[in-house]
Amino acid sequence: MTNLYGSHFMTDIAALPDSFLRILVPAVRNITPLPVDPDEARRALLLHLQDAEVPGFIIATLRPYLMDFLRDIQSGRLDPWARQAWKAVPAISDTDASWARDRALIDQLIAQTGLYTTGPAIRELFEFTIRLRGFAPFNAMLLHIQKPGLTHAATGADWASRFGRFPKSLAWPILILRVKGPVDFVFDVLDTEGEDLPASAFCFPVLGDMSAARLTVILDAVRHDGIDISHFDGGDGFAGQIQLVGDYSAVNRKCHFAVSLNQNHAPAQQFVTLAHELAHLFLGHLCADPARRVPLRSDCTPAECEAEAESAAYLVARRNGVLPFSEGYLAKFTEGFATFDIYAVMRAANSIETVMGLGASMM
């Protein structure tokens, strides 16, 4: 199909996140008449978004989608004047395209803010992510990029239903990514009003030491994802390893991995070792695994791979009540990050908690 904004559609309207349409559709309704020339229409839309004081990082996120959005209006595929025009748009699927989009968003935000270029900055991010256990590691990073001093956040619906509080007039939402869907928005506690918060509003249960029973539940969850786990009788100097058993990436099946853990180590140490070995998987150090949305990352040195894996394991351990022995090692390494991929580390920590069955209640 052809239209005035190009010879063919570049992407399908279904690829445009629902939350983006909730911003763009009302904006287009206020541009009358909408210019026929695509460049003029795009400029008019950007100007309106700026005049409406939409945050700069949201406008930067929307920019790559503006031409496709305007094409769909011009062709009649999307009627912005229809009641809740975005309701017909399905949620974005968990595909390589969405992974690339997430990556581009984070790279852009980090580049624009200049964050995470030093060891202390990365350690500050880690501590922030550890404190915000109600959010998955990747979303905690998004919150830290946008509002480093934030202490508590929730969606508007959560504030209302759980705490009797509501976003203040003109309060700016903070963007996070929804599980298997598009983006979502949360609000800082300081941008809400209503009932007083109870002292225990954001308290999490004390997890304490990793028990053998709790570790068994976690190991069973990992096995359920098609990852074999076994134990060996080893000395204290060898904690464990992960091996690629079957590469099924060509047929889009999850690759088969086997993890071995030292049975002589305490459950807490086995937990940290498991997180470290799974980090190598989800960081793409072993192979590409498209079915798990893991790209091959063969450009980092062995030392960098170990630092990335240990960083992801450190986050998972600390967020789940286990203190690993790697803090001193990471403090030394992070003084000279050159190619450290903070995006990959956070995504890996997300995936590790998910495969362990630890992220079901997180945003």
Side-chain angles (χ1 to χ4, degrees), residues 260-280:
S260 56
L261 302 173
N262 190 334
Q263 67 184 24
N264 299 317
H265 284 170
Q269 192 170 352
Q270 290 188 42
F271 174 78
V272 175
T273 300
L274 176 63
H276 179 100
E277 301 307 328
L278 290 176
H280 283 302

Side-chain angles (χ1 to χ4, degrees), residues 122-141 143-144 148 150-152 202-205 207 310-324 326-327 330 345-346 349-350 353 362:
I122 292 176
R123 291 197 295 277
E124 179 187 337
L125 168 64
F126 284 2
E127 292 305 314
F128 182 90
T129 304
I130 292 163
R131 289 196 303 272
L132 266 67
R133 283 172 46 201
F135 290 88
F138 192 81
N139 276 334
M141 179 176 69
L143 293 175
H144 187 262
L150 180 146
T151 58
H152 306 305
F202 289 93
C203 291
F204 291 90
L207 299 174
E310 196 63 22
S311 295
Y314 174 79
L315 284 173
V316 172
R318 286 284 309 277
R319 283 167 54 86
N320 288 278
V322 176
L323 183 63
S326 54
E327 192 160 6
L330 288 177
V345 168
M346 289 298 180
N350 256 32
E353 290 191 342
M362 293 186 299

Side-chain angles (χ1 to χ4, degrees), residues 26 52 57 63 93 99 211 229 296 317 325:
F57 77 91
R63 279 181 184 272
S93 60
W99 185 93
S211 67
I229 298 179
L296 176 64
F325 297 112

Side-chain angles (χ1 to χ4, degrees), residues 89-145:
V89 180
I92 190 170
S93 60
D94 196 18
T95 62
D96 287 342
S98 65
W99 185 93
R101 181 182 304 160
D102 297 350
R103 176 70 194 239
L105 168 63
I106 298 304
D107 283 349
Q108 186 177 45
L109 286 173
I110 292 176
Q112 290 178 347
T113 57
L115 295 172
Y116 316 135
T117 56
T118 66
I122 292 176
R123 291 197 295 277
E124 179 187 337
L125 168 64
F126 284 2
E127 292 305 314
F128 182 90
T129 304
I130 292 163
R131 289 196 303 272
L132 266 67
R133 283 172 46 201
F135 290 88
F138 192 81
N139 276 334
M141 179 176 69
L142 277 179
L143 293 175
H144 187 262
I145 289 173

Side-chain angles (χ1 to χ4, degrees), residues 20-103:
F20 290 3
L21 290 174
R22 290 178 182 271
I23 298 173
L24 292 175
V25 167
V28 165
R29 289 174 178 170
N30 288 294
I31 302 175
T32 306
L34 184 67
V36 175
D37 180 78
D39 291 330
E40 290 183 6
R42 183 174 180 274
R43 282 194 293 270
L45 186 53
L46 284 171
L47 183 61
H48 180 82
L49 293 174
Q50 293 166 356
D51 289 344
E53 297 184 348
V54 174
F57 77 91
I58 293 180
I59 294 178
T61 305
L62 292 171
R63 279 181 184 272
Y65 307 104
L66 294 186
M67 291 305 293
D68 291 323
F69 172 71
L70 293 169
R71 288 189 187 98
D72 286 320
I73 292 175
Q74 185 66 24
S75 70
R77 290 182 49 149
L78 176 67
D79 181 4
W81 290 272
R83 178 177 174 82
Q84 293 187 319
W86 53 83
K87 285 297 184 182
V89 180
I92 190 170
S93 60
D94 196 18
T95 62
D96 287 342
S98 65
W99 185 93
R101 181 182 304 160
D102 297 350
R103 176 70 194 239

